[in-house]
């Protein structure tokens, strides 16, 4: 359970996506991602409004700086902050988040300013998920090696955290603040927000789990076989006890989902996810919540049913049962 005092420190997005009494669902966008070409913004804004009406808690997007083939596919994705700004402008309550911005490849002062701006313009609906990146070609294009990614991640994290949240911490890091002032010549990036913007580590981030527990406001990882995921969540909770004084920090899981027409279709595994009917999905989500998962980020199958039909069914038959 997230204590009320801590929940009040964060913006609207945090309490909306990570309530202490139920599991919430989010969607990866673009919701209709054409292979190798850009998604249609008109369609995506309409689908964002539909997701909000269906009761999804968040819309997420990835940061893919270069169109480098991966697993046989090429992704053409708009800048994540501009993309989420468009979705936030098309909606009114649903949270928006990065999963994840590639922290080592972005200048930390500019990333922090983008985060502050998006959170302000969306009315406190932004969550900042950051990762270390996994494409060696991208590191080379940005003048570094993949092996430098972990160190660069930590250095950039300190700067971004100092801009967004340090003054709002129970024990502000004076050394980090002084480092930030030296980096900016003594100038602020923007005025300090009234509430914290959650900084989530996505994937391993090339860090130890203990580092993530001590520094991040939550951890997002991928789908695993249930017993392995239970073990992973147990390690997360142990790390929180050791490095975060037992603080309640959410565990987020992604899930590739191929939802079938037949509501009674049994669950079967697919790569990083499941295929099945809504009853199997609901039972699986309930088990995840019991293990300690706070939010599930759904990647809807590209070749499956129409997105609108899947979203409507989940909104009508699944989300109301998760309370």
């Amino acid at each position: 359970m997230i204590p009320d005092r801590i929940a009040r420190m964060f913006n609207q997005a945090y309490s909306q996506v990570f309530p202490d009494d139920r599991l919430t669902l989010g969607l990866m966008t673009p919701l209709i991602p054409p292979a190798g070409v850009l998604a249609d913004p008109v369609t995506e804004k309409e689908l964002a409004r539909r997701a909000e009406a269906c009761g999804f808690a968040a819309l997420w997007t990835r940061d893919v700086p270069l169109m480098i083939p991966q697993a046989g596919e090429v992704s053409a994705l708009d800048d994540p902050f501009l993309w989420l700004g468009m979705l936030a402008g098309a909606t009114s309550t649903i949270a928006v988040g990065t999963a994840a911005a590639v922290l080592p490849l972005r200048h930390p002062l500019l990333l922090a300013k983008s985060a502050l701006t998006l959170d302000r313009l969306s009315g406190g609906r932004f969550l900042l998920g950051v990762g270390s990146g996994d494409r060696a070609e991208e590191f080379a294009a940005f003048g570094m090696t993949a092996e430098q990614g972990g160190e660069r991640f930590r250095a950039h994290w300190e700067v971004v955290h100092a801009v967004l949240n340090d003054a709002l911490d129970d024990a502000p890091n004076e050394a980090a603040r002084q480092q930030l002032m030296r980096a900016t010549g003594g100038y602020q990036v923007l005025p300090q927000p009234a509430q914290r913007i959650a900084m989530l580590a996505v994937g391993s981030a090339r860090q130890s789990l203990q580092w993530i527990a001590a520094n991040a406001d939550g951890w997002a990882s991928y789908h695993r076989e249930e017993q392995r995921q239970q073990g992973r969540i147990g390690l997360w909770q142990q790390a929180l006890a050791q490095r975060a004084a037992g603080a309640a920090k959410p565990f987020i899981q992604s899930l590739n989902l191929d939802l079938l027409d037949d509501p009674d279709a049994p669950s079967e595994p697919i790569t990083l996810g499941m295929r099945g009917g809504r009853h199997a999905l609901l039972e699986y989500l309930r088990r995840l919540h019991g293990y300690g998962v706070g939010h599930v980020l759904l990647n809807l199958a590209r070749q499956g049913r129409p997105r609108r039909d899947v979203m409507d069914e989940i909104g009508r038959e699944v989300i109301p049962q998760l309370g």
Side-chain angles (χ1 to χ4, degrees):
M1 178 178 291
I2 300 168
D4 288 344
R5 180 186 64 82
I6 294 176
R8 286 195 298 270
M9 292 168 53
F10 286 95
N11 62 7
Q12 173 186 325
Y14 186 89
S15 58
Q16 180 171 309
V17 178
F18 308 121
D20 60 19
D21 59 346
R22 69 185 186 278
L23 178 74
T24 64
L25 301 182
L27 292 166
M28 181 61 76
T29 69
L31 282 155
I32 302 181
V37 297
L38 293 167
D40 175 44
V42 174
T43 300
E44 294 293 328
K45 286 188 284 186
E46 185 272 321
L47 289 171
R49 289 187 287 266
R50 198 180 197 103
E52 184 173 74
C54 287
F56 288 92
L59 298 168
W60 301 88
T61 200
R62 296 185 296 147
D63 182 12
V64 181
L66 301 176
M67 293 176 61
I68 298 169
Q70 191 175 53
E73 292 189 357
V74 176
S75 296
L77 296 178
D78 290 287
D79 177 86
F81 293 95
L82 295 175
W83 177 262
L84 293 176
M86 178 191 76
L87 297 183
T91 55
S92 58
T93 59
I94 196 167
V96 295
T98 51
V102 185
L103 185 55
L105 304 186
R106 287 182 171 267
H107 193 290
L109 293 177
L110 293 178
L111 188 149
K113 185 158 190 171
S114 293
L116 287 169
T117 301
L118 182 49
D119 188 63
R120 186 176 75 87
L121 298 183
S122 68
R125 290 190 283 144
F126 179 60
L127 297 167
L128 178 61
V130 292
S132 60
D134 58 4
R135 292 173 168 89
E137 298 89 343
E138 286 181 345
F139 284 100
F142 283 82
M144 72 181 82
T145 65
E147 290 69 28
Q148 294 173 305
E151 181 180 354
R152 186 75 63 91
F153 181 95
R154 291 190 300 275
H156 286 192
W157 178 287
E158 288 185 4
V159 174
V160 174
H161 182 272
V163 174
L164 300 188
N165 295 324
D166 191 65
L168 301 172
D169 285 349
D170 287 338
N173 186 331
E174 181 61 24
R177 193 187 73 82
Q178 292 297 331
Q179 180 182 357
L180 173 63
M181 289 297 100
R182 287 193 296 271
T184 63
Y187 300 104
Q188 286 184 287
V189 173
L190 280 177
Q192 187 79 46
Q195 292 180 299
R196 289 175 60 108
I197 298 170
M199 291 182 64
L200 310 172
V202 179
S204 72
R206 303 176 190 267
Q207 309 302 319
S208 69
L209 195 54
Q210 287 70 28
W211 187 94
I212 294 173
N215 291 278
D217 297 311
W219 182 38
S221 191
Y222 56 84
H223 167 87
R224 297 176 179 85
E225 182 274 327
E226 283 189 55
Q227 188 172 3
R228 289 184 60 218
Q229 194 72 309
Q230 280 184 275
R232 201 65 177 160
I233 295 168
L235 291 174
W236 171 239
Q237 293 169 344
Q238 289 177 22
L240 290 176
Q242 295 166 357
R243 299 298 302 276
K249 297 183 179 184
F251 183 94
I252 304 104
Q253 177 191 304
S254 63
L255 177 71
N256 291 347
L257 175 66
D258 186 0
L259 188 69
L260 301 178
D261 281 310
D262 179 3
D264 295 314
S267 173
E268 59 178 290
I270 61 174
T271 302
L272 297 178
M274 64 169 287
R275 176 185 295 114
R278 69 169 181 263
H279 294 149
L281 172 63
L282 180 58
E283 290 308 309
Y284 175 64
L285 293 174
R286 285 172 168 164
R287 292 196 299 274
L288 287 183
H289 191 220
Y291 302 153
V293 177
H295 180 75
V296 174
L297 194 173
L298 300 176
N299 289 284
L300 301 184
R302 179 178 293 174
Q303 304 301 326
R305 295 164 57 194
R307 298 294 195 281
R308 293 169 180 82
D309 293 351
V310 173
M311 291 162 58
D312 288 349
E313 183 174 353
I314 293 174
R316 184 179 63 250
E317 305 290 349
V318 176
I319 290 175
Q321 304 299 320
L322 295 176

